Amino acid sequence: MTRPLTGGGAASGIDERHPPIKPRRVSFDWSSTPLHWVPGDPLATHIINSFHIVLPEGEKWFIQCVKDARPHIRDERLLEEIKGFIGQEMVHARSHQGVLDQILETAGIDVSKITDAAAKGNAERPAQMAALKERNRRAWRRRLRFELAAVASIEHYTAVLGQWIMDNDRLEKAGVDPTMLDLLRWHGAEEVEHRSVVFDVYKAMGGRYPTRVAAWVVSLFFLYWALIGGSLYLMKQDPTVTKRITPLRLVRSYRRSVRKGHVPGIFKLLLGEAPVYLRPNHHPSKVCSTPRALEYLRKSPAAQAAGYDPY
């Protein structure tokens, strides 16, 4: 199965055709990965580690939203892509959980204050949605559409970050741990590969532009909290960071990390993508590169070890 080129994709020279979206059953050995896997840059390490905190439960929420919508989808191609999306997100959640369990927890960094709250929300959501659907189907549909729009917004940013990390050769030069770099690039490549799925589900559920904008605003605040709040939380718990953590010191470290290419500029990322995502005629196929994602997946050590051939 291939996706046809959209008008926007053809105009921008982006080929959105791809093999069927399928999960790659990867695994990672963290026994040799240090806590500061960006050498000499604990802040850059923990900015990206903040994703490891929110993604295991976040990916499970994405899956719940898409599963709720699936019975209402009639397009056979989209149903196949939903199946692949769910499989990929399940592997993503498991892989990032491994970082929490085997790297952060081993170092004495406790993130349960965040992860337990997210897990509780995911555990309670199915019953809440079922009760709402029974009481008021229109309200259930509105809530589901809003959640799908929020997930689609986040999926835009994860795809853009995936493209960034695949294209960023400065990470190898910085000596980033190769296992962690492969996890981030494998995940990023799959985010690029399936970037259109939730957006298409949202549209198929009758999602309209005003809701997409409102959900983007909520997603923006969530991502800001995840990146800024999460990295500060980790820095304060890091037993190897002995210097006093002050706002000025953090700002200087952050700017240095951005200049070195260890992390993207957070504010540029969050706000700079607004004109792209908020175009009324936006479609995910107009951004990022599916061929580039497949190129990386063909050479990813983890994907190769899993025996996956994209073709």
Side-chain angles (χ1 to χ4, degrees):
M1 178 188 71
T2 59
R3 291 189 57 131
L5 284 171
T6 66
S12 61
I14 296 174
D15 188 346
E16 174 60 1
R17 293 173 295 181
H18 56 71
I21 297 173
K22 293 183 179 180
R24 300 162 178 89
R25 307 294 181 183
V26 300
S27 61
F28 299 91
D29 178 5
W30 301 115
S31 59
S32 300
T33 300
L35 174 60
H36 297 160
W37 44 266
V38 183
D41 197 339
L43 182 60
T45 296
H46 289 318
I47 286 175
I48 302 179
N49 277 346
S50 63
F51 280 107
H52 296 308
I53 298 177
V54 299
L55 281 174
E57 292 300 328
E59 307 275 17
K60 294 173 187 176
W61 171 54
F62 297 176
I63 292 169
Q64 284 189 17
C65 292
V66 173
K67 281 186 173 180
D68 284 348
R70 183 168 54 183
H72 305 272
I73 304 298
R74 298 292 176 262
D75 185 290
E76 291 297 328
R77 176 193 60 78
L78 183 54
L79 285 169
E80 281 298 312
E81 295 204 337
I82 288 171
K83 181 180 178 181
F85 171 85
I86 290 172
Q88 288 189 347
E89 296 291 52
M90 289 174 65
V91 181
H92 295 175
R94 185 196 70 206
S95 300
H96 289 280
Q97 186 64 47
V99 176
L100 299 185
D101 296 342
Q102 299 175 48
I103 297 180
L104 296 186
E105 187 176 317
T106 300
I109 297 177
D110 180 15
V111 297
S112 61
K113 181 179 179 180
I114 300 172
T115 57
D116 286 355
K120 183 173 183 290
N122 275 339
E124 294 173 350
R125 183 184 175 279
Q128 293 173 352
M129 291 296 284
L132 180 60
K133 189 175 186 179
E134 183 176 349
R135 185 173 66 250
N136 188 329
R137 290 184 68 90
R138 291 183 66 182
W140 171 85
R141 202 173 183 93
R142 282 197 300 269
R143 173 173 169 175
L144 179 57
R145 277 198 296 253
F146 189 89
E147 291 191 34
L148 286 168
V151 175
S153 300
I154 296 170
E155 286 282 294
H156 172 78
Y157 283 104
T158 55
V160 170
L161 281 168
Q163 189 75 45
W164 178 85
I165 202 161
M166 284 190 293
D167 293 342
N168 185 4
D169 61 359
R170 298 168 76 183
L171 295 171
E172 284 98 343
K173 296 174 183 176
V176 170
D177 176 77
T179 304
M180 185 64 74
L181 189 56
D182 185 36
L183 177 142
L184 296 172
R185 285 180 169 166
W186 153 78
H187 186 169
E190 291 197 342
E191 290 297 321
V192 170
E193 183 185 28
H194 71 224
R195 66 192 182 277
S196 298
V197 176
V198 181
F199 189 94
D200 289 345
V201 171
Y202 171 68
K203 298 291 284 186
M205 289 292 292
R208 301 178 66 184
Y209 182 71
T211 300
R212 178 155 71 87
V213 174
W216 171 81
V217 173
V218 173
S219 300
L220 195 72
F221 281 102
F222 167 76
L223 289 169
Y224 176 83
W225 167 82
L227 289 167
I228 304 299
S231 55
L232 182 59
Y233 181 84
L234 289 168
M235 287 289 287
K236 287 181 176 180
Q237 287 209 57
D238 190 326
T240 69
V241 176
T242 55
K243 292 183 178 179
R244 184 167 173 264
I245 298 172
T246 66
L248 180 60
R249 184 170 287 146
L250 284 173
V251 169
R252 286 175 175 170
S253 296
Y254 164 73
R255 289 178 174 172
R256 182 167 57 249
S257 298
V258 172
R259 284 197 304 269
K260 291 181 176 180
H262 297 172
V263 293
I266 293 173
F267 299 103
K268 183 179 180 181
L269 168 70
L270 295 179
L271 296 178
E273 286 299 312
V276 176
Y277 186 75
L278 296 181
R279 290 190 189 109
N281 66 343
H282 169 76
H283 188 268
S285 62
K286 299 179 182 180
V287 299
C288 303
S289 170
T290 300
R292 177 70 181 92
L294 294 176
E295 176 191 353
Y296 182 75
L297 291 168
R298 283 194 294 270
K299 65 182 181 181
S300 160
Q304 284 187 338
Y308 183 79
D309 181 353
Y311 297 104

